[in-house]
Amino acid sequence: MPAARNGTSPRLPRLLAALCDRLPKDRIVVVEQVLGTVAGPDDPPLGRFIAAQAAAGLAQQLSEITRVWRTEAPGMTGAGLALALATARSFPRPAPAQVAVSGPMGASASARLTSGVAMEVIRSARTSLLIASFAAHGARNVVTEIGRAVDRGVRVDLLLEESTQASAAFAALPDHVHVWHRAGSSGVLHAKLIAADRHTALLGSANLTDRALSDNIELGVVLRDPHLVEPLVDHFRWLLAPENGVMRPA
């Protein structure tokens, strides 16, 4: 990547790295493919592609990349920038936390919708899913995705608040899905968590309900650093251990 023309440290590599941090690999590959077909930052097909991006803040993020591309490396072709993006995608680095929100979002918000993030985390599970929610109803897409996880051999533990009848939302799942309630009458289970294996977790304010995942004003964070996710999973596994008397099978 060439140095910025004003002699300062170039911003373009940092912007490309930030795009890789935000989007899953398959979405980055799509951006690379589009870049590979354009001549430069002002090529109309690139502008149309950017304008068509519906994810909150993504069009603005891509527009900023285009603006800095025009300023710092005007002679670079789209194929050259696609190669730089592919390099950024393949470079190993810790995955940053990402914001997930429900409800209204401004066009400039650098966040993702809770509903989409929840589905993505569930899909990423290969051995175990640990899900906690105070309330649950509707959310059929989430229930369907959990069922698909069960079909591919993932162990699923659902920690649900008994007083809200949350377990009814998951009645269609196979019998070998493990449902847990709080033991005793002291306090309620109010946590909201989706943890895939020991590598990815979504935690925040949203219950597993249609309104919480899409319409309510909710806030969460996605963690993809195993060093952060593993203590969360260990805590909930401790809660499930029979000898600790905190949770009981439903």
Side-chain angles (χ1 to χ4, degrees):
M1 188 71 69
R5 291 193 295 179
N6 61 6
T8 61
S9 177
R11 293 185 59 215
L12 198 50
R14 296 195 299 274
L15 292 173
L16 296 179
L19 186 66
C20 291
D21 289 339
R22 172 179 181 162
L23 297 179
K25 178 181 177 180
D26 59 336
R27 297 278 303 281
I28 291 294
V29 170
V30 170
V31 177
E32 292 168 10
Q33 291 170 342
V34 171
L35 288 173
T37 66
V38 302
D42 298 310
D43 207 335
L46 179 59
R48 290 193 291 271
F49 173 76
I50 292 173
Q53 301 308 304
L58 182 55
Q60 183 172 353
Q61 191 172 5
L62 291 171
S63 294
E64 180 65 7
I65 289 173
T66 301
R67 186 188 70 78
V68 176
W69 177 14
R70 187 183 302 114
T71 301
E72 292 187 352
M76 180 180 289
T77 65
L81 191 64
L83 179 60
L85 183 57
T87 301
R89 169 170 56 84
S90 63
F91 191 82
R93 60 187 181 277
Q98 288 184 317
V99 174
V101 301
S102 303
M105 271 199 302
S108 63
S110 181
R112 299 183 60 198
L113 284 172
T114 306
S115 54
V117 172
M119 301 283 283
E120 183 180 296
V121 173
I122 294 168
R123 289 187 191 117
S124 73
R126 292 295 174 265
T127 60
S128 65
L129 265 174
L130 199 154
I131 298 175
S133 189
F134 173 75
H137 55 79
R140 291 193 180 96
N141 290 339
V142 169
V143 175
T144 298
E145 204 60 52
I146 294 172
R148 289 173 179 157
V150 173
D151 290 342
R152 61 177 182 266
V154 174
R155 176 191 168 102
V156 177
D157 289 283
L158 300 175
L159 288 71
L160 304 170
E161 171 55 32
E162 188 172 18
S163 67
T164 64
Q165 291 82 50
S167 60
F170 305 97
L173 293 176
D175 291 340
H176 53 280
V177 168
H178 305 270
V179 178
W180 304 83
H181 294 322
R182 178 78 186 264
S185 59
S186 177
V188 298
L189 188 150
H190 203 252
K192 293 92 177 180
L193 169 73
I194 303 176
D197 304 331
R198 297 171 64 83
H199 57 68
T200 305
L202 166 63
L203 58 158
S205 64
N207 286 301
L208 291 178
T209 70
D210 290 330
R211 293 185 64 182
L213 292 173
S214 300
D215 300 328
N216 295 349
I217 296 177
E218 307 278 1
L219 178 64
V221 65
V222 190
L223 304 176
R224 293 189 173 86
D225 184 344
H227 290 96
L228 298 175
V229 175
E230 287 175 359
L232 287 172
V233 173
D234 287 343
H235 172 66
F236 279 87
R237 292 295 176 197
W238 180 87
L239 293 175
L240 296 180
E243 63 270 20
N244 294 321
V246 180
M247 305 294 295
R248 57 175 174 80

